[in-house]
Each structure stands twice: as C-alpha cells, then as structure tokens.
Amino acid sequence: RGKTGGCRPGLCNSLCEVAWSSDDVNEATSQLIGEAHGIFTKLQEVGPAQSNNRSSNLLQLSRQYRAVLHACVQSLYRNADAAQKFDYGGGLSIASGDHDHRYYLAQAHLYTSMELLWHLCEVVLLEVLPGGCAVPPMLEWIRWHCTQADDKVKLVLASDHPSEEAQFWPASLSLSLFFSLSLSLSL
C-alpha cells in the first residue's frame, strides 16, 4: 500500500513515499522475507573473490532458498487446514473461516509455483554438467514434477488391452517426450 500524497502520475514533481503495510503479511510470508534476506545477503558475499567455488556456492544458496520456499508452502497448508477446522464461535461466521482457508490455499499454490520456477531456473542456469549439457538435469526435473506421464502409463499397463485404452496414445507421447523411448516402444 502506498501513500502518494495526492500526486497524480506525470503531473507531480514532488517526492512520493511508498510504504509496505505489514498488516497484510501472514506468518509464512514474514518467514520467507526474513530467511530470504539472510540468503540474499550471503549471495552478495559470493563475488569474484570466490570465483573458483562460485557456482557451487550459488547452487547451495539457491537450494537453501528453495527449502525456505518449501517450508513456507507447508506452513501455508497447515494454516489452511487450521482455518478450515477452526470453530468460529462467538459471532464469527463460517464464511470467514472459508475465506481464510481459500486465502491460505491460494498463497500455498502461488508459493508452490514460485518454488517450481525457481527449481527450473536452478536446473537450467546453475546445475551445469561438464560439457554444458543441460538435458539430464532437465529430464530429472520433468520426471520429478510432471508425474502425469507415470499415471497414464500405470493406467494403460493395468488394462487387459493396453492398445485399446483411451490413455494409450497420450501415455506413449508423454514417454517419447521424456526420452523414455524403450518404455514407449514396450507399450
């Protein structure tokens, strides 16, 4: 929330103060801000002076940040569960509990997306194998986070007639895209 002192964009030459209201910050976000500050402060120390270990230090700090994001996601899911189970007596309506529950779930989904994107950037930019090949780490990321192909394959393999299963071609295509050609051909 910002205070602009009546300034309209482009029409005012005075200095405007912008302040962040901490009233809207939940416990998980506050934790993320505090932990991230410490991690990014350490990141500033990883400079050209430590160039021989720079990539391993960056990777370690990135993993720490991702762990903090994951902890915040878990905290938000716990808060969502608590909001859903809380007895809103004393005049408070169940709707306020439902609102809190939806708010925490939305925050958890947002932080999960942030964690996934951060991990993808980590894989692409920081986990460089000798020779600069990024395909194996990318495939590992896909296998870890995109489990729909495994679910489709299990469904097809559980069928008495796999080639007649509705998920046969989507499963085959998914396996081909994930470079699991031998498994795809075995279907």
Side-chain angles (χ1 to χ4, degrees):
R1 298 180 188 201
K3 297 188 298 185
T4 60
C7 296
R8 291 191 322 201
L11 299 177
C12 184
N13 292 331
S14 64
L15 184 63
C16 298
E17 178 183 347
V18 178
W20 183 10
S21 172
S22 61
D23 296 340
D24 296 335
V25 178
N26 62 50
E27 185 179 319
T29 303
S30 179
Q31 176 189 358
L32 176 64
I33 292 168
E35 295 284 336
H37 178 266
I39 291 169
F40 288 117
T41 300
K42 289 179 191 174
L43 182 64
Q44 297 301 314
E45 297 168 5
V46 177
Q50 299 176 346
S51 60
N52 55 347
N53 291 340
R54 183 182 170 123
S55 62
S56 63
N57 289 340
L58 290 175
L59 186 58
Q60 179 185 12
L61 291 170
S62 177
R63 288 179 177 160
Q64 285 177 2
Y65 180 69
R66 215 165 22 95
V68 169
L69 276 173
H70 187 74
C72 290
V73 168
Q74 297 305 314
S75 176
L76 287 165
Y77 278 124
R78 281 192 301 275
N79 290 346
D81 287 344
Q84 190 176 33
K85 294 175 185 173
F86 186 73
D87 180 18
Y88 285 91
L92 291 177
S93 69
I94 297 296
S96 65
D98 187 46
H99 178 270
D100 290 345
H101 175 74
R102 285 184 280 131
Y103 169 78
Y104 286 124
L105 282 180
Q107 291 292 303
H109 290 300
L110 175 67
Y111 282 30
T112 300
S113 298
M114 289 170 49
E115 182 184 359
L116 284 172
L117 287 172
W118 190 272
H119 189 199
L120 181 61
C121 291
E122 184 179 289
V123 166
V124 171
L125 302 173
L126 298 177
E127 290 183 15
V128 180
L129 295 177
C133 184
V135 173
M138 287 287 297
L139 287 174
E140 186 65 28
W141 185 89
I142 289 169
R143 282 187 193 106
W144 184 255
H145 296 292
C146 301
T147 59
Q148 298 92 351
D150 291 337
D151 296 340
K152 291 175 188 174
V153 170
K154 287 176 187 174
L155 181 68
V156 169
L157 292 176
S159 174
D160 292 334
H161 303 287
S163 61
E164 296 173 10
E165 183 65 39
Q167 293 296 316
F168 176 77
W169 287 111
S172 297
L173 179 62
S174 296
L175 289 172
S176 298
L177 290 174
F178 296 147
F179 298 104
S180 299
L181 296 177
S182 59
L183 186 55
S184 179
L185 291 174
S186 70
L187 279 181

